[in-house]
Every structure is written in C-alpha cells, then in structure tokens.
Amino acid sequence: MSEEAVGIVDIVQSFKAFLETFQSKDGVLKYRERIHELIRMNQKSLIVDFDDLILHDRELANYVLDKPLEALNAFSQALLDIVSRENPEYARLVKRFYVRIRNPPEIFKIRGLNSDYIGKLVAIEGIVTRVTRIDAKLVKAVYRHVAEGEIHEFEYPPEGSITEKVEKPPYCLICRKPGKFDLVVEKSEFIDWQKIVVQEKPEEVPGGQIPRSIEAILTADIVDSVRPGDRVILTGVLRVQPLTGSPEARSSRSLFSFYIDVNHVEVQEKVLEEIVITREDEERIRELARDPWIREKIISSIAPGIYGYWDIKEAT
Ligand SMILES: [Zn+2]
C-alpha cells in the first residue's frame, strides 16, 4: 500500500476496520474487547499483536513496518475515534491514545542495525544498562502574543504534534503580525520522557569485542517500565540524532547516532538457567538438604529481626 494510492483517511479507516472486526480463533472480537477493557481500566495504550495484523491485512502490516510514524499516527487516530464513540467523556479526558505493536516478525541484533533501517519499525533484544530520570517533553505548544494591550493565544504548530524540534512561530496566528511569543506552560501539553541504554546480550558479542549499545526513548505511559539489568525486547522506530561529544562530531554536522523511539517494551522473565550455580554452591545445597534442621533454619532466616511468628514465616 503506497501513500499515493490511499489517503490518510483511508488508512485510518483500514485500522478502524481491523480494530472493530478482527476475530481471534474462538470468534471473540479481540480488540473490541481490549478497547472496552482499556476504558474500564483507565488505560491509554492498546497492545496489538503483529501476527493479527498480518492475518487481517498483509499490506497494512507491511505499511506499519515500512512507514511506522504515519501508520502509528493513523492507528492512534482510529483508536481515538472508537473510544470517542464508546465513551466520549473518557476520550476527552485522555486526549492521547497509543497503539503499541507487539512481536514484529524480526528481532534485530543491536550490531545488525544500520542506516538502511532509519525510519523503519524495528525490534531489538538486549539488557538495560542505564535509565535516566523522567523529564517532560513538550508535544503541543501554546504561545502568547501581547500586542497593543491585547493578549493573543494560539497553538503552534496549529495541527499535529511536535516531534523533533520546537519551532517558534514566525508570526502571531491571531493578528498575523511578527513579535515576541512566550510559551504558556499551563496551557501547553507535555508527555513523560525517559532515556534508557540497551546493551547487546553477552551471547551476541563476538569473541574479543566490546558489547555495543543503543539509546532508546520511552514516552508517556511506558516510562519507568524497565530497570537496569532487565532483559527487554523493544519495538520502535529507528531514528538518528546529531552526534555530540567526539572531535569528528564537532567538525562535522553530518554525523548522526542511532536511537530507538520506543513503541512497545516487553520485559522478559528471568529464566532459571540464568542463575549460575557453582560447584561449591551445589555441594553446599546438598549438604543443607541432608540437615534435619533445614526447615527451621530457613524459617528463622526469614526476617530474623522478628522473633516468633513461625507459622507466618513458614507460609512464605
Ligand atoms: Zn497577535
């Protein structure tokens, strides 16, 4: 499906049709149910399984991979339209809804990402090594123009959201005159913003090499969803930002580094094999297992500062 062939309105309609008609194997209208749950649970995000999209409309699924920014905007609009119809009050309250894509067909190695994938939907797997604090990102700016005793307030850009750079308005959108414009913070819209760093898994690092990592941006309701040490699968759009810091970067404005604008985070459960048990541990465990007092020893080791309550401790 090319953009020329179908307008944005048609794309929103296609996503709406998917959300309203997709049936799981047991005949349940899966996403209608999930949207009802989203409203009931006061959520903002709807998780869509990529496989369902493929089953419903392969071209639409490919469009999501190929033009994720446009596709996800249209998908969110479709979701907003449905929520507005089902529960107008909730839609007005939340304003921004997100469709999050789970399980795209291919998971890339971090060192496998290259310029060919800029602007595409990619998924990577790795270990979170760094998490910043949460900041607020401006997504809708309201400016104030004070001119000849009058106050003009307007949104800029007039439509859509701020994605990369905040552009100051060239003139007042009310009186059409140039001038000084101040951001009205309390009328502008912000979303939560957090940067994380994800490093490739140890088993993916070729012998003798240093693990590589990539920055990723979490926004809105997925901030604070990971901690350092977590193994994660991130789905998002591969983007670039000007490279800073290095001597090459200072002398050239054409160098950029990759980052992932994250759409969905999946934190993987820690599997048992990851707990490494040494030979000494094993011997110690066997030794303890032979100890007839092992139960009591374990129980008394739980909250040793609290005397008694044996029945409660045993139950834990
Ligand atoms: Zn004005």
Side-chain angles (χ1 to χ4, degrees):
M1 188 192 299
S2 73
E3 272 177 298
E4 293 77 42
V6 278
I8 185 76
V9 178
D10 297 327
I11 296 167
V12 173
Q13 287 307 324
S14 304
F15 283 122
K16 232 160 143 178
F18 165 75
L19 293 174
E20 293 189 307
T21 64
F22 183 83
Q23 290 187 15
S24 52
K25 280 201 191 92
D26 46 0
V28 173
L29 289 166
K30 184 171 171 179
Y31 293 102
R32 288 199 69 114
E33 297 242 315
R34 284 200 182 168
I35 290 169
H36 287 151
E37 185 164 314
L38 172 145
I39 296 169
R40 202 167 52 236
M41 306 292 286
N42 289 320
Q43 293 164 343
K44 298 175 180 176
S45 288
L46 177 76
I47 293 170
V48 167
D49 292 294
F50 193 80
D51 290 345
D52 294 345
L53 263 181
I54 295 177
L55 283 173
H56 175 81
D57 182 342
R58 189 168 279 273
E59 274 188 85
L60 199 61
N62 284 333
Y63 180 66
V64 172
L65 290 181
D66 200 42
K67 299 248 190 254
L69 290 174
E70 292 90 333
L72 291 169
N73 270 339
F75 223 156
S76 303
Q77 184 60 49
L79 176 59
L80 176 65
D81 288 355
I82 296 172
V83 176
S84 301
R85 194 191 57 215
E86 300 275 325
N87 191 330
E89 206 181 319
Y90 186 60
R92 265 196 302 276
L93 188 75
V94 174
K95 286 184 282 198
R96 271 171 206 278
F97 290 93
Y98 305 91
V99 173
R100 305 200 179 276
I101 308 290
R102 180 159 65 191
N103 284 336
E106 189 182 353
I107 293 179
F108 289 86
K109 290 181 174 164
I110 290 175
R111 62 180 63 221
L113 293 172
N114 62 46
S115 308
D116 295 342
Y117 300 105
I118 294 171
K120 310 287 181 200
L121 191 80
V122 295
I124 57 144
E125 196 177 352
I127 296 165
V128 177
T129 55
R130 217 168 75 85
V131 174
T132 66
R133 64 171 191 198
I134 296 169
D135 289 310
K137 181 183 191 288
L138 182 66
V139 288
K140 194 104 210 173
V142 172
Y143 289 97
R144 180 181 291 147
H145 179 219
V146 181
E148 293 150 27
E150 276 186 61
I151 294 173
H152 302 149
E153 284 182 352
F154 58 93
E155 273 184 15
Y156 193 85
E159 271 171 57
S161 301
I162 298 161
T163 49
E164 295 285 294
K165 270 206 182 101
V166 178
E167 309 268 356
K168 275 242 172 184
Y171 54 84
C172 171
L173 294 195
I174 311 282
C175 66
R176 307 266 148 191
K177 285 180 189 154
K180 188 172 163 287
F181 308 112
D182 295 317
L183 182 70
V184 188
V185 171
E186 64 276 14
K187 288 187 180 168
S188 299
E189 207 183 319
F190 295 84
I191 55 170
D192 290 339
W193 183 99
Q194 186 180 41
K195 183 152 78 180
I196 66 172
V197 176
V198 178
Q199 192 176 71
E200 57 191 346
K201 299 183 292 177
E203 59 268 31
E204 278 177 359
V205 184
Q209 297 209 29
I210 298 168
R212 289 193 191 160
S213 51
I214 188 166
E215 288 184 349
I217 304 297
L218 306 180
T219 52
D221 55 347
I222 57 172
V223 298
D224 258 356
S225 57
V226 302
R227 289 168 305 178
D230 281 346
R231 274 184 178 239
V232 292
I233 295 176
L234 300 182
T235 306
V237 183
L238 186 67
R239 305 182 78 159
V240 288
Q241 59 194 350
L243 197 62
T244 52
S246 71
E248 293 90 344
R250 277 195 292 274
S251 62
S252 161
R253 288 207 194 133
S254 61
L255 287 176
F256 293 81
S257 64
F258 294 119
Y259 73 96
I260 293 178
D261 188 356
V262 180
N263 169 257
H264 181 255
V265 178
E266 187 134 357
V267 179
Q268 293 170 293
E269 297 295 325
K270 286 202 169 57
V271 286
L272 274 177
E273 297 100 82
E274 282 183 48
I275 303 167
V276 181
I277 296 175
T278 63
R279 251 196 94 72
E280 292 82 65
D281 290 336
E282 202 181 316
E283 275 167 24
R284 181 97 185 101
I285 291 166
R286 286 186 197 286
E287 194 182 305
L288 284 169
R290 282 193 297 270
D291 184 344
W293 290 96
I294 185 64
R295 257 168 78 90
E296 285 71 18
K297 281 182 181 169
I298 291 174
I299 293 168
S300 62
S301 74
I302 297 170
I306 301 170
Y307 181 78
Y309 297 104
W310 284 75
D311 48 339
I312 295 171
K313 288 184 181 180
E314 191 170 4
T316 58

